[in-house]
Amino acid sequence: MLFDVTAVLAKTLLVLGAVLGLTSLLTWMERKQSAVMQDRLGANRASILGVRAFGLVHIFSDALKMFFKEDYVPPGGDRILHTAAPCIALFFALMSFAVIPFGDTLTLAGRDIPLQVLPLNAGILFVFAMTSLGIYGTFLAGISSNNKYAFLGGLRASSQMISYEITMGATLIGLLMIFGTLDLQEINRAQGDLLWGWLPKWGVVLQPFGFLLFLIAGMAETKRVPFDLPEGESEIVGYFVEYSSMKFGAFFMTDFIETILIAALIATLFFGGWQVPFLQSDGFHLPGGAHLALGHLAVVLLQAAALGLKVFFFCWLLLLIRWTLPRFRYDQLMRFGWKFLLPASILNIFVTAFVLLLLR
Amino acid sequence: MNPLIPLAVMALLVAGIVALFILASVFLGPGKRHPVKDTPFECGIPSEGFAGGRMHIGYYIMAMLFVVFDVELAFLFPWAAALRGLGWFGFVAMFLFIAVIGAGFAYAWKMGALEWE
């Protein structure tokens, strides 16, 4: 019992540490990436004793600045809801990571530890439940601020998020049909098989159209450019207009955490998660018949590193898209979501089901 | 092991982190009030009326459509996981279900519920 609880605590701390670490790194990456793409030098001013470290010091200076700013609740606003909104947004964004598997099973001192904080047979439903509840944070921020702009922004944001959430779920149905389970760990294990003896059976190979739809819906769900109407820096009709200090910081972090979540879901569902091509529990088995034996610990570490690398790559890809595309107009956004993405994902479901039953 | 244990551990740790962030900024920041600062942000014009009384009817329609499709999705998830066992019967049954909802969706589309101009 004690061993189990310690293992759970260690896994939780590892996951939270990795997510929060990557979040703070992303705040720097976002600024540096935009600087590179816009031919600027970018964040490079902050320094500790003259050490600038490519502007990495900005991560600390930004966090400190957030903490030491005034915490402001607008008069006439609801003090409790105004405080609760960023807490809800941040809490549910972080909770989603409980079901993301970061390895198969670690055998330590004769005991098996599943490398997933919360082994759940309906893991994907848990993720959707958490992202749905996160919408409350956005909406409450809008209505508790006693500000017309915040109210409009909250309406827009929640309307956009619920619209694209349907698409996000519907695009995954095809993949779930193929793997026949809602368990993220099972899906991940199934992606270790090989197709025709050489091609890893990753979700993107089986559902390329579903992957594209999920990528688009995921970007909209995280409220990033080109779907960043809720923030819209140049229009300032955002749900967090009346927020300051770390309460604003919580919304800011939620954005990045959701980006990581989408990247982690893409990696887990479509790109094999912790699977390394041809790596099995006892080492590499190459298609030609070559075999490279590896120890248990080395395999587990390689697989965890593979997931980290994939998540990092997709975070970077989302940043790249963010700084490349212009913003949609609201009617375009809604038309695109309801009139193209939703019918397309329903079509994807039936075509996949049809082919699957024919091949059965 | 009971799956509630890892869930509780995760929830407690996350709640602790969130509380730390929010409380730290409440106590560390300054608190200077000023009558001008205490007015809602509104482009420098004195604010008028009540924030958040009226809204575009489209948001209501969007919310209703969301409920319909989210319930549909809730049926689709277990269906997808069990499709291989259900076979062609399951396929046709779900096709009919989606067709009914699709007819409603087509009606909403035709009546202009998805227009935002």
Side-chain angles (χ1 to χ4, degrees), chain A residues 23-31 58-59 62-63 65-66 86 89-90 93 222-224 231 233 239-240 243-260 322-323, chain B residues 21:
Chain A
T23 308
S24 48
L25 189 66
L26 276 184
T27 60
W28 170 78
M29 252 177 78
E30 165 123 318
R31 298 170 73 177
H58 274 269
I59 295 172
D62 283 349
K65 184 186 76 181
M66 290 278 189
L90 191 55
T222 54
K223 310 184 287 288
R224 309 280 292 174
E231 295 159 44
E233 292 109 334
Y239 55 91
F240 45 56
Y243 277 89
S244 63
S245 79
M246 205 58 199
K247 284 186 190 167
F248 168 76
F251 282 120
F252 190 68
M253 279 173 67
T254 306
D255 260 26
F256 283 110
I257 292 172
E258 280 176 342
T259 306
I260 299 173
R322 183 199 156 124
W323 290 104
Chain B
F21 278 169

Side-chain angles (χ1 to χ4, degrees), chain A residues 110-272:
Chain A
R111 303 222 210 180
D112 287 341
I113 307 169
L115 289 181
Q116 188 184 18
V117 174
L118 180 59
L120 209 61
N121 58 5
I124 194 74
L125 287 184
F126 182 83
V127 173
F128 280 118
M130 291 302 124
T131 50
S132 307
L133 285 168
I135 298 177
Y136 278 108
T138 305
F139 187 66
L140 287 178
I143 60 168
S144 67
S145 295
N146 188 31
N147 180 316
K148 287 166 192 156
Y149 292 121
F151 179 72
L152 282 176
L155 274 180
R156 277 180 167 200
S158 39
S159 198
Q160 168 183 342
M161 284 167 88
I162 59 174
S163 298
Y164 278 86
E165 194 176 285
I166 296 169
T167 317
M168 213 166 108
T171 48
L172 286 186
I173 300 286
L175 194 80
L176 300 175
M177 268 189 290
I178 292 172
F179 291 118
T181 175
L182 300 180
D183 188 338
L184 285 173
Q185 184 69 281
E186 287 298 315
I187 291 176
N188 229 321
R189 284 202 187 110
Q191 292 184 81
D193 298 344
L194 294 177
L195 219 55
W196 309 306
W198 60 273
L199 190 63
K201 209 173 147 195
W202 286 359
V204 70
V205 179
L206 305 167
Q207 280 275 300
F209 190 53
F211 163 66
L212 271 183
L213 293 176
F214 183 76
L215 182 68
I216 296 169
M219 273 192 294
E221 187 71 13
T222 54
K223 310 184 287 288
R224 309 280 292 174
V225 176
F227 303 98
D228 74 330
L229 296 112
E231 295 159 44
E233 292 109 334
S234 48
E235 303 161 20
I236 331 180
V237 184
Y239 55 91
F240 45 56
V241 169
E242 292 284 2
Y243 277 89
S244 63
S245 79
M246 205 58 199
K247 284 186 190 167
F248 168 76
F251 282 120
F252 190 68
M253 279 173 67
T254 306
D255 260 26
F256 283 110
I257 292 172
E258 280 176 342
T259 306
I260 299 173
L261 178 67
I262 293 300
L265 281 179
I266 290 174
T268 305
L269 293 166
F270 292 100
F271 285 87

Side-chain angles (χ1 to χ4, degrees), chain A residues 103-104 188-189 191-194 198 200 202 272-287 290-307 310:
Chain A
D104 198 346
N188 229 321
R189 284 202 187 110
Q191 292 184 81
D193 298 344
L194 294 177
W198 60 273
W202 286 359
W274 43 261
Q275 297 280 5
V276 181
F278 316 122
L279 179 64
Q280 286 165 17
S281 56
D282 60 342
F284 282 100
H285 289 268
L286 295 176
H291 175 59
L292 177 68
L294 279 176
H296 176 63
L297 208 62
V299 169
V300 168
L301 283 178
L302 251 178
Q303 287 176 334
L307 178 68
K310 286 171 192 173

Side-chain angles (χ1 to χ4, degrees), chain B residues 5-87:
Chain B
I5 296 173
L7 185 65
V9 169
M10 183 86 180
L12 278 178
L13 275 176
V14 171
I17 291 171
V18 172
L20 189 77
F21 278 169
I22 304 293
L23 284 179
S25 71
V26 169
F27 287 115
L28 289 177
K32 296 189 186 108
R33 311 297 289 191
H34 187 276
V36 176
K37 196 157 95 181
D38 277 353
T39 52
F41 166 78
E42 217 155 300
C43 304
I45 305 168
S47 61
E48 240 181 75
F50 169 62
R54 291 184 180 182
M55 55 168 137
H56 193 282
I57 188 74
Y59 293 114
Y60 287 106
I61 297 172
M62 231 11 85
M64 279 191 283
L65 280 176
F66 165 72
V67 171
V68 173
F69 277 94
D70 218 31
V71 171
E72 177 218 321
L73 208 59
F75 284 117
L76 272 173
F77 274 112
W79 173 77
L83 181 73
R84 274 170 216 256
L86 295 172

Side-chain angles (χ1 to χ4, degrees), chain A residues 338-357:
Chain A
W338 284 95
K339 294 188 181 175
F340 171 70
L341 276 187
L342 185 62
S345 54
I346 300 272
L347 188 73
N348 184 41
I349 291 173
F350 279 112
V351 171
T352 311
F354 190 75
V355 173
L356 208 64
L357 287 177

